[in-house]
């Protein structure tokens, strides 16, 4: 059983306070949507959860089977996808996935990766360099990367950005799968994406609301 | 999900191969390194003209060419990750230790390739004689190892700075000074045909420098790489 526990989290950049006093906990099969106006700290909070930024105050604890996981172990449990995330443009989509799998200690055969590309709507484009991809195709490829390790905790920043209708359908499936597998946290201001959460954290009011 | 079979070394080799493949397609560092080396070598060769130089001066010129070529190319290993905004992706998937080891290996291969180009050109263009080849080779390999250990960690520091410009050379020079003095001395001995035992002191210093720099860089990298 996995759980994510946030205690009294605060982040400042220099003298500018982004947020403070964030507390919540999520258990398996729970999902949280973080909302708030631009600059409220949604992406910053996700980056702290992903281990990309250190909080100024507070703790992020990840427990798997009642054991607190350290930074190295967390990397295996968490995946993060965001429009800010850049893949290697000079490599092909297949090379990107092969590298990202190998470096995480995962061993995929090219056929398996090609199948994943097909399922993500990138059939026949695996051998193309990522620099020739549209922003929507890159977004699909980022989801493939994020799902390589079948994460216990999936963090998505503005998940629907750059996606067309089939892409949004793919996102629906990814989110449905993740809700069965573990924890989902996503940051968005898109009203259509709020439905993905069981809980909503509004960083403007620093309060929770629950979707029944 | 794919099977979990990779060892630490296979992760490091994945990082190395990614950089190698990327370099072959973009020529981000290779062109800068080779062009700088060839141009410097040509300028030195023309400026010397018919003068006959001592092996001490030739050894110094040889390492000056290597040092400045390294300055122009080796920093790119981290700067290109920052500029392409792929460093976040790397942080998500790989441990700092494997990233550092992969980048170090890549820089070492790049520098050794550069030396394979420079050494014959230097011998031909400047009439540089190497009377004890094996001593020269040991000095070159140990010197390159020390140079790469120091420049890789400095590259990681510089990549985080907002003003990168000349910072790499400025930071590298004081750290590399003991290494440069020793490699010049060792190269001079090899050029004059000194025996292996006469060059042993320099080799010991180079080996110690490489070990100290490797351990210090390995320990420091985590703090440099993370926010």
């Amino acid at each position: 059983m996995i759980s994510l526990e946030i205690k009294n989290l605060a982040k400042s950049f220099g003298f500018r306070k982004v947020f403070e006093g964030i507390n919540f906990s999520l258990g398996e099969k729970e999902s949280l949507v973080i909302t708030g106006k631009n600059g409220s700290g949604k992406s910053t909070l996700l980056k702290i959860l992903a281990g990309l930024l250190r909080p100024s105050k507070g703790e992020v604890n990840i427990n798997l089977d009642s054991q607190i996981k350290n930074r190295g172990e967390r990397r295996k449990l968490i995946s993060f996808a965001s429009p800010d995330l850049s893949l290697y443009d000079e490599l092909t989509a297949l090379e990107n996935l092969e590298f990202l799998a190998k470096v995480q200690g995962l061993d995929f055969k090219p056929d398996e990766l090609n199948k994943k590309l097909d399922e993500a709507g990138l059939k026949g484009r695996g051998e193309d360099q990522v620099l020739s991809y549209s922003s929507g195709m890159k977004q699909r490829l980022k989801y493939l990367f994020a799902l390589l390790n079948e994460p216990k905790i999936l963090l998505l920043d503005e998940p629907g950005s750059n996606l067309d209708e089939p892409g949004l359908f793919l996102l629906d499936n990814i989110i449905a799968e993740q809700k069965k597998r573990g924890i989902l946290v996503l940051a968005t201001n898109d009203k259509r994406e709020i439905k993905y959460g069981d809980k909503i954290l509004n960083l403007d009011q620093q309060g929770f609301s629950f979707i029944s | 999900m794919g099977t979990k079979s990779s060892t630490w070394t296979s992760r490091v080799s994945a990082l190395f191969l990614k950089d190698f493949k990327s370099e072959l397609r973009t020529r981000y560092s290779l062109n800068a390194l080779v062009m700088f080396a060839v141009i410097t070598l040509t300028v030195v060769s023309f400026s010397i003209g018919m003068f006959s130089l001592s092996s001490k001066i030739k050894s110094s010129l040889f390492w000056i060419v290597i040092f400045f070529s390294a300055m122009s190319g080796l920093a790119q290993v981290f700067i290109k990750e920052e500029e392409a905004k792929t460093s976040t992706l790397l942080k998500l998937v790989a441990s700092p230790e494997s990233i550092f080891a992969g980048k170090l290996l890549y820089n070492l291969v790049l520098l050794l390739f550069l030396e394979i180009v420079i050494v014959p050109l230097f011998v031909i263009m400047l009439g540089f004689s190497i009377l004890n080849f094996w001593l020269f080779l040991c000095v070159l390999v140990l010197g390159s190892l020390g140079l790469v250990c120091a420049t890789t960690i400095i590259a990681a520091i510089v990549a985080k700075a907002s003003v990168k410009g000349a910072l790499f050379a400025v930071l590298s020079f004081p750290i590399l000074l003991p290494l440069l003095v020793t490699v010049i001395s060792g190269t001079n001995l090899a050029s004059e045909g000194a025996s292996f035992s006469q060059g042993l002191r320099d080799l010991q210093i180079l080996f110690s420098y490489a070990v100290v720099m490797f351990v210090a860089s390995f320990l420091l990298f985590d703090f440099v790489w993370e926010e």
Side-chain angles (χ1 to χ4, degrees), chain A residues 11 13 50-55 71 75-76 78-80 84-88 90-92 95-96 98-108 112 116 129 145 148-150, chain B residues 1-7 10-12 14-16 18-19 21-23 25-26 80-81 84-98 103 222-223 226-227:
Chain A
K11 181 67 184 174
F13 291 108
L52 293 169
L53 290 176
R54 287 201 178 101
R71 213 177 63 188
R75 204 177 287 116
K76 296 170 191 161
I78 298 178
S79 273
F80 174 65
D84 289 346
L85 204 63
S86 294
L87 297 159
Y88 291 95
E90 65 278 14
L91 301 184
T92 67
E95 286 169 344
N96 263 288
E98 276 173 353
F99 162 65
L100 294 166
K102 272 185 191 158
V103 87
Q104 290 183 84
L106 304 169
D107 199 10
F108 283 98
E112 292 174 285
K116 285 179 185 289
Q129 285 182 312
F145 145 65
L148 279 175
N149 62 344
E150 294 182 0
Chain B
M1 188 165 66
T3 52
K4 291 190 176 185
S5 66
S6 294
T7 58
S10 69
R11 290 176 204 199
V12 172
L15 280 154
F16 167 76
K18 184 271 293 174
D19 277 338
K21 209 176 275 181
S22 176
E23 181 62 41
R25 290 188 189 155
T26 60
K80 72 177 173 188
E81 298 278 2
K85 295 177 181 171
T86 48
S87 55
T88 306
L89 188 67
L90 265 190
K91 280 177 194 164
L92 284 170
V93 293
S95 65
E97 297 80 26
S98 55
K103 298 287 185 191
D222 196 14
F223 298 98
E226 299 294 331
E227 179 214 16

